[in-house]
Amino acid sequence: MPEEEILAARKEKLRRLREEEGYDPYRPERFERSAHLAEIKRRFDSLTVDQHGTEKLTTAGRVMALRKHGKASFITLEDEGDRMQLYFQFDALGEEAYTFFKKWVDVGDFLGVEGHPFRTSRGELSVQVESFSLLSKALRPMPEKWHGLKDVEVRYRQRYVDLLANRGVRDTFRKRATIMAAIRALMTRTGSLEVDTPILSHLAGGANARPFVTFHNALGLQMYMRIATELYLKRLIVGMMGRVYEIGKNFRNEGVDTMHNPEFTAMEVYWAYADYEDMMTLCENIVVAAADSVGGRTVTYQGKEISLHPPFRRATMKELVKEHAGVDFDAITTDEEARRAARAKGIPVEGHESRFLLLAKLFEEYGEKHLIQPTFVLQHPVEISPLAKRNPEAPDYTNRFELFINGSEVANAFSELNDPLDQEERFRDQQRKKDAGDEESHPFDEDFVTALEYGLPPTGGLGVGIDRLVMFLTDSRSIRDVILFPAMRPREA
RNA sequence: GAGUCGUUAGCUCAGGCGGUAGAGCACCGGACUUUUAAUCCGGGUGUCCUGGGUUCGAAUCCCAGACGACUCACCA
C-alpha cells in the first residue's frame, strides 16, 4: 500500500476510534511511570521461567512490534532506554480491553500499561498487562523492524525517524550528552564559570575563516555569525572574571564533508594566570574525562585503536616536519631556502611566502595525517597565530599547541597575547593580507585592542572541537552522525 | 569546486543485454490463549529521482538536471 493510502487508512481508523469508542488518543496528557523498561529488566532479572512477580508496575513506551494471536498477544514496547516484551491476555484483561487492544493498537502507537513482571516459558522477562491506555497514535508506518532505516538521506533529513528506528543512533546522542556533562562537571571543579557571548556581532574574529553574513533590519547593520568565541571571552578576563569557558555553536561559511559542518560545537576556556602548558594539562584532563564518561581511555575508531592515556605525545611543528617531510627547518635561515625545500616537496609556491608559512604548509601536508595517536603539536609560527604570545626564546614562534587525534585537529591553545601594541601590529598584518585578497584573514578589532590596553593578565586559552571529540569516542565516521540535524541542501520542491 | 558511485513499493533490497516490475517486512481481511524477524489463509499497493532524446515501444540505452554518499581540494 502506498504511503498516502496507509496514511489515509490510519486517519480513517482514527476517525472510527473516536466515533465508535468515543476515545481520542491525543487527549492523554501525562502518564506516571513507576519504572522505565531498563529498570524493570534490572530489578526483575532474577525471576525464573514461568515465575510471576507480585509487584504492580506502570510503564510506557512505543509499540515497535505486534504479535497478535487469538486470545493472547505479545508486543515489543520500547522506551527511551530499552525495549521489553508485554503480554496481553484475554483472561487477564477482560473481553472489552482485550478487544480494544486487538482492534485499535498499531505498531508505532504509544501505550501506558499497568501490570506485573514475569518470565515467559521461553525465558523472556516480560510484563503481563492488567490494564493499559493508548497514549498517542502513529499515522505513518514505521521503518522496517529488522533492517531499520538505512537511507542516509532520510536519516539526516528526518532525524526523528532515524532516532526512533535506530537505537544505536540514540546511544550516540546519549553519549554526546554524557560527554558534555562530564566536561561541564570538570570545568566546574576547576572553578571555571560558564558564560554566553554573542553569536551575532558586527565583527567575526578569533579565527581565520569566512563568516556567514546577515543583516539587522532595525539597526540597518550588516552582522556576522560568530566564527569563534575567543575575543569576547578574553575581554571577560580583562574584566576580572578569572576563569571562564563557553560551549556553543560556531559558524563557518566553508565546505561540508565528513569532518566539517557549517555550524559546529566548540568549547573555549580562558584562565587568568595560566599558560599554554597549563592548558595542555587541562586539555588532557578534558579528553580523559570525556573518554572515561563513555567507556574508557582505549577507544577503537574505525578499526584503529587509539590510546587516550595521558600524557599525550608532545612534538614541535619543526620536529614533525623533519620527521615526516624530511625537511629540517633548524637548518633553514632564509625564506628562499624554505621555498626551494617546499617546492622540492611538491608544495605550490608563488614566491612571496615566508619560511614560517611554508613550515606550516609542510606540516599540514606531511605531518597531520600521521598523528593518529593523540599528539600535541607545539610552537606554531607567529605568522599563523595572530592571537598567541611569542616564545621569548624564539620570537618568530608562539607558545601554542594543537592536539591532533586520528589526523584531525581536536584542540588549539596558547598563552594568550596580552601585549596591546604587538596585538595591534598583528591585526595590521592580518588586515594587509585581507586587503591583498585573503578572505580568511582576521579582521582588525579595535575594541579588542582597547580591552588589552586596560590590561589582560597572563592568560592561557584552549579551544576544543566538541563534535570531533564525540566522533572519536562514539566511533562515528562522519560529523553528521554526531550532529542531530546536520546541514543539508533542501530537497527539490 | 572536481571525480566516482547511488536513487526501483512505507522500509530493506532483487531484477531489468529495450516488450510495460518482484521478494521479505510493513499494510488490509480472516484463523489462532506463550509469541519474540510468530505462524497459517487471502489481498500487490509503484512517477522504477526529474526532464529531454533515440525507438514501434524506455523503468532499462543516451544527454541534461536534482538530491545523497564517498574521494580530493578549502577548512576545525
Side-chain angles (χ1 to χ4, degrees), chain A residues 3 36 100 103 107 122 126 133 236 286 301 427 462 478:
Chain A
E3 184 164 26
H36 294 193
F100 183 97
K103 189 166 182 184
V107 170
R122 299 292 181 90
S126 307
S133 45
L236 298 179
I286 288 169
Y301 182 69
F427 276 156
L462 166 68
S478 169

Side-chain angles (χ1 to χ4, degrees), chain A residues 57-95:
Chain A
L57 301 166
T58 57
T59 196
R62 190 194 282 272
V63 178
M64 297 305 282
L66 267 173
R67 294 179 291 282
K68 288 180 182 175
H69 304 182
K71 290 199 164 82
S73 301
F74 296 88
I75 71 170
T76 301
L77 192 77
E78 185 165 324
D79 67 11
E80 57 273 31
D82 213 331
R83 42 170 58 194
M84 177 167 283
Q85 175 169 274
L86 305 189
Y87 184 37
F88 289 73
Q89 197 184 24
F90 183 93
D91 296 340
L93 281 158
E95 179 169 6

Side-chain angles (χ1 to χ4, degrees), chain A residues 160-382:
Chain A
Y160 45 93
V161 183
D162 187 28
L163 286 163
L164 78 86
N166 299 321
R167 280 202 289 166
V169 176
R170 297 213 293 275
D171 287 341
T172 295
F173 289 103
R174 202 181 305 279
K175 280 185 180 171
R176 183 178 172 122
T178 302
I179 290 165
M180 301 308 296
I183 291 174
R184 285 195 161 95
L186 170 67
M187 295 315 293
T188 300
R189 282 199 299 279
T190 65
S192 307
L193 211 63
E194 183 168 10
V195 298
D196 290 289
T197 65
I199 287 173
L200 272 181
S201 75
H202 50 273
L203 215 57
N208 297 90
R210 282 195 221 185
F212 284 92
V213 183
T214 184
F215 190 80
H216 191 294
N217 291 335
L219 297 180
L221 198 64
Q222 176 169 286
M223 298 192 87
Y224 303 93
M225 310 282 278
R226 72 180 175 199
I227 58 174
T229 47
E230 174 144 357
L231 299 186
Y232 279 107
L233 292 173
K234 280 196 269 195
R235 283 174 170 92
L236 298 179
I237 304 299
V238 169
M240 307 295 278
M241 297 285 275
R243 290 183 167 190
V244 297
Y245 75 102
E246 176 161 11
I247 296 176
K249 291 277 183 77
N250 288 339
F251 307 83
R252 297 191 184 175
N253 207 339
E254 284 159 359
V256 175
D257 63 27
T258 51
M259 296 301 284
H260 301 85
N261 193 65
E263 58 179 290
F264 63 100
T265 301
M267 169 185 187
E268 288 192 38
V269 189
Y270 293 87
W271 281 2
Y273 318 115
D275 66 4
Y276 80 114
E277 300 264 4
D278 296 313
M279 290 299 110
M280 221 179 296
T281 304
L282 175 63
C283 186
E284 279 174 344
N285 289 342
I286 288 169
V287 170
V288 163
D292 286 349
S293 74
V294 292
R297 302 175 189 188
T298 302
V299 305
T300 301
Y301 182 69
Q302 303 295 298
K304 277 174 286 197
E305 190 171 290
I306 295 177
S307 165
L308 300 175
H309 293 81
F312 302 158
R313 182 188 175 198
R314 289 146 165 77
T316 66
M317 189 176 277
K318 277 186 190 173
E319 285 165 354
L320 290 164
V321 166
K322 192 171 171 183
E323 180 178 333
H324 295 291
V327 178
D328 183 2
F329 270 77
D330 282 327
I332 289 175
T333 52
T334 68
D335 294 341
E336 190 45 50
E337 280 175 74
R339 285 179 211 135
R340 272 202 301 276
R343 265 197 208 96
K345 298 302 290 183
I347 305 286
V349 174
E350 289 175 23
H352 57 270
E353 294 89 347
S354 71
R355 55 194 183 280
F356 307 108
L357 187 73
L358 292 168
L359 169 68
K361 290 237 181 274
L362 279 162
F363 169 69
E364 285 166 20
E365 187 63 30
Y366 288 94
E368 287 186 3
K369 59 174 174 274
H370 296 289
L371 307 180
I372 303 303
Q373 298 303 319
T375 305
F376 288 121
V377 179
L378 309 170
Q379 303 295 324
H380 298 59
V382 169

Side-chain angles (χ1 to χ4, degrees), chain A residues 31 34-45 47 51-61 67 72-79 83-89 92-93 101 111-120 123-132:
Chain A
F31 186 85
S34 67
H36 294 193
L37 298 177
E39 194 183 341
I40 296 174
K41 273 194 180 169
R42 203 168 54 243
R43 285 178 51 206
F44 298 99
D45 189 49
L47 286 175
Q51 187 187 359
H52 286 245
T54 51
E55 190 175 334
K56 282 262 192 297
L57 301 166
T58 57
T59 196
R67 294 179 291 282
S73 301
F74 296 88
I75 71 170
T76 301
L77 192 77
E78 185 165 324
D79 67 11
R83 42 170 58 194
M84 177 167 283
Q85 175 169 274
L86 305 189
Y87 184 37
F88 289 73
Q89 197 184 24
L93 281 158
F101 162 75
L111 285 185
V113 304
E114 182 179 17
H116 64 268
F118 77 110
R119 192 174 292 282
T120 66
E124 173 116 1
L125 185 64
S126 307
V127 169
Q128 167 124 32
V129 176
E130 286 149 26
S131 66
F132 68 92

